[in-house]
Amino acid sequence: MAATKETQKVKDFTETVKGMTGLVKENYINGVEFALSLWEENQKVLNAQVDQWLNLQQEFIKAGREFSDKFPKELATFSNGNSVDRFVTIQKEYVESARKVSDKFTKETHNIAQKNVEKGFSLIDDYIGLFRV
């Protein structure tokens, strides 16, 4: 009879700990997902600001070209269109590559965090399972 009481106590212990680890796991995953969603929202805001800045730059270049076109060609010193266009193109490509890297990093961070949580808690469950008789 003593063995069944001990077995019952161990079973109660393991079930309680499994329930607690399940809650901790769920809260941890929710916390990671919340942090990553904030990160993604900040990326969206930053991307919108960069887009506005690039549009403003385009408008500035356009206004500069229109202004320089009003002068005779001998006096126009703004710049030839090729160098300005190349600069803007390089800048846009840089922004796009930075966005791609940031998006990829966010997705990979989310996947790695998810896998780490699942692996960590499966190890805890395995450890708790050792207490079962």
Side-chain angles (χ1 to χ4, degrees):
M1 184 131 189
T4 58
K5 285 185 182 181
E6 289 177 12
T7 305
Q8 186 64 29
K9 287 180 184 179
V10 170
K11 185 178 179 184
D12 290 344
F13 167 75
T14 57
E15 293 301 320
T16 303
V17 172
K18 276 191 173 187
M20 294 296 285
T21 56
L23 289 173
V24 171
K25 177 182 176 182
E26 187 176 320
N27 286 334
Y28 184 79
I29 290 172
N30 288 340
V32 168
E33 288 178 357
F34 177 72
L36 290 174
S37 69
L38 284 178
W39 186 337
E40 289 172 346
E41 287 300 317
N42 287 338
Q43 280 181 326
K44 288 177 186 176
V45 169
L46 182 62
N47 285 339
Q49 290 175 343
V50 168
D51 287 340
Q52 288 178 351
W53 180 73
L54 289 173
N55 289 339
L56 179 65
Q57 186 180 29
Q58 280 293 100
E59 291 298 319
F60 177 75
I61 290 170
K62 182 179 173 183
R65 281 189 183 142
E66 288 174 359
F67 180 73
S68 68
D69 287 344
K70 291 181 182 178
F71 290 105
K73 294 296 178 193
E74 296 82 24
L75 298 176
T77 58
F78 177 66
S79 179
N80 65 3
N82 293 339
S83 64
V84 174
D85 289 338
R86 266 188 270 138
F87 173 73
V88 170
T89 302
I90 289 170
Q91 200 170 37
K92 284 183 179 180
E93 288 174 357
Y94 174 76
V95 167
E96 286 303 314
S97 67
R99 284 179 182 169
K100 286 178 185 176
V101 167
S102 182
D103 289 343
K104 184 178 179 182
F105 178 75
T106 302
K107 289 175 185 174
E108 288 180 2
T109 301
H110 183 268
N111 290 337
I112 289 171
Q114 184 77 23
K115 288 177 184 176
N116 284 340
V117 167
E118 290 172 3
K119 184 66 174 176
F121 283 100
S122 73
L123 290 173
I124 291 171
D125 288 341
D126 291 345
Y127 180 72
I128 292 170
L130 295 175
F131 290 103
R132 289 195 171 180
V133 178

